[in-house]
Amino acid sequence: MTALKLDGKALSQQIERDLTQRVSALVKTQQGRIPVLATILVGDDPSSAIYVRMKRNACQRVGMDSRPVVLPKETTTQQLLDEIDRLNADADVRGILLQHPVPSQIDERRCFDRIAIEKDVDGVTSHGFGLMALGERAFGSATPAGIMRLLHHYQIDVAGKSAVVVGRSPILGKPMAMMLSNANATVTICHSKTVDLPEVVRRADIVVGAVGKPEFIRADWIRDGAIVIDAGYHAGGIGDIELSGVISRALAYTPVPGGVGPMTIAALISHTVEATEASVKAS
Ligand code: NAP
């Protein structure tokens, strides 16, 4: 059996084509006013700078503007809160991305939660998480939202399947588990204190790697016919899962790169367009 490749790159390009038309229609109805995604980058982490640049490039590709806010690594929580307040109050800004992680002196949770719910296009606020977890309308966290969209596109129905999510971070593992549960999968959340992780993973129909350690999830933990979702990305183009050993045995898998990464950006940009459409409709 050769696994089905869940091609996030191709799907994200298809999504961007649709978004380009929607942005163009929005600009026409708004007398030339272009939707803006504000991106906040605090500090000088090179990977974060690359991620922000990729998100800004995606805005440009679909005809949106991005507004870069770059703050020094010494920024305080209060200074970041003030910046978020300014962006919340700016009617041109339709979405706000605060790139994670921020320097350790900043209370990241407080800053995430300051983002107005209607501009929380990266799905990072507690309010947004709560709504999403309850199955109410909210922009889910971008990476798991992108993964769900990828599964949906390939008509992979998760209902009734046993899903194991390895990782429980607020922006990835936890919202992923909630989204899979809302889609009627039976979900197990694993973390650094999980006992006998390989055995737990072996029982999974769907494995999501969200650990942040290169090829931490070994191929021999994954059973034949599983659906393998790798959210990790590390130097050398490897993920959190030892994918080379599962491609011949899995039902489906996300490549690294070209799987989850492009879908994260597609979800963020889609949410920003939806936020603009909702705001225009309400005005
Ligand atoms: P994180 O905040 O560092 O969380 C890592 C999680 O893995 C934690 O819940 C941790 O458990 C768990 N973990 C650590 N060691 C473990 C072990 N030995 N056994 C089982 N679980 C263990 O990371 P994150 O932000 O969620 O990111 C995870 C991965 O996804 C990274 O590779 C990151 O680069 C990638 N990512 C990709 C995108 C994208 O756009 N493609 C976006 C976000 C993240 P505890 O809770 O017990 O500490």
Side-chain angles (χ1 to χ4, degrees):
M1 170 172 41
T2 302
L4 172 68
K5 180 167 94 168
L6 306 177
D7 190 339
K9 189 170 175 200
L11 178 57
S12 70
Q13 287 166 347
Q14 192 180 315
I15 290 170
E16 284 188 7
R17 282 194 290 275
D18 168 61
L19 292 175
T20 303
Q21 290 182 0
R22 285 162 63 185
V23 171
S24 163
L26 279 165
V27 173
K28 274 193 200 119
T29 55
Q30 290 284 287
Q31 287 84 40
R33 197 168 152 208
I34 296 172
V36 176
L37 172 70
T39 62
I40 310 176
L41 176 64
V42 190
D44 45 19
D45 176 58
S47 304
S48 292
I50 291 170
Y51 293 139
V52 168
R53 195 168 63 234
M54 289 165 78
K55 290 163 187 176
R56 295 189 58 217
N57 288 345
C59 286
Q60 200 179 14
R61 286 197 297 273
V62 303
M64 290 197 315
D65 273 344
S66 58
R67 183 180 308 167
V69 176
V70 181
L71 300 172
K73 62 178 186 302
E74 304 78 22
T75 301
T76 64
T77 298
Q78 192 54 52
Q79 286 166 332
L80 184 49
L81 290 171
D82 291 344
E83 191 57 56
I84 293 168
D85 286 343
R86 273 191 286 279
L87 296 172
N88 281 338
D90 185 332
D92 282 335
V93 172
R94 306 300 195 161
I96 300 172
L97 165 85
L98 170 56
Q99 184 64 40
H100 161 86
V102 295
S104 57
Q105 78 278 7
I106 293 177
D107 183 342
E108 185 181 76
R109 175 49 41 208
R110 233 182 119 198
C111 293
F112 275 157
D113 284 343
R114 193 70 154 237
I115 297 171
I117 185 79
E118 67 277 9
K119 299 189 184 190
D120 179 22
V121 290
D122 203 25
V124 294
T125 62
S126 305
H127 187 184
F129 177 87
L131 289 171
M132 179 279 295
L134 293 169
E136 301 290 335
R137 216 181 133 63
F139 299 120
S141 180
T143 301
I147 290 170
M148 293 306 288
R149 186 139 183 201
L150 192 59
L151 291 170
H152 180 76
H153 175 79
Y154 283 95
Q155 298 179 338
I156 294 176
D157 185 7
V158 306
K161 292 194 169 64
S162 155
V164 170
V165 180
V166 188
R168 57 174 170 184
S169 73
I171 59 158
L172 183 44
K174 277 193 182 126
M176 182 80 260
M178 287 301 151
M179 288 181 201
L180 286 166
S181 172
N182 287 346
N184 297 319
T186 302
V187 183
T188 305
I189 306 176
C190 298
H191 45 77
S192 62
K193 308 292 183 295
T194 296
V195 174
D196 205 356
L197 184 62
E199 273 315 304
V200 180
V201 173
R202 275 187 193 108
R203 292 197 291 269
D205 301 317
I206 302 169
V207 181
V208 181
V211 201
K213 294 182 177 169
E215 297 195 337
F216 173 80
I217 299 170
R218 310 307 298 175
D220 67 2
W221 301 1
I222 294 173
R223 77 182 194 200
D224 292 358
I227 295 155
V228 182
I229 308 294
D230 193 340
Y233 182 75
H234 307 278
I238 56 170
D240 288 354
I241 301 178
E242 193 191 13
L243 281 177
S244 55
V246 298
I247 290 172
S248 59
R249 303 185 289 109
L251 186 67
Y253 74 102
T254 57
V256 178
V260 173
M263 289 307 299
T264 298
I265 297 178
L268 174 76
I269 305 301
S270 296
H271 292 168
T272 310
V273 173
E274 283 169 38
T276 312
E277 288 168 342
S279 163
V280 168
K281 205 170 159 199
S283 64

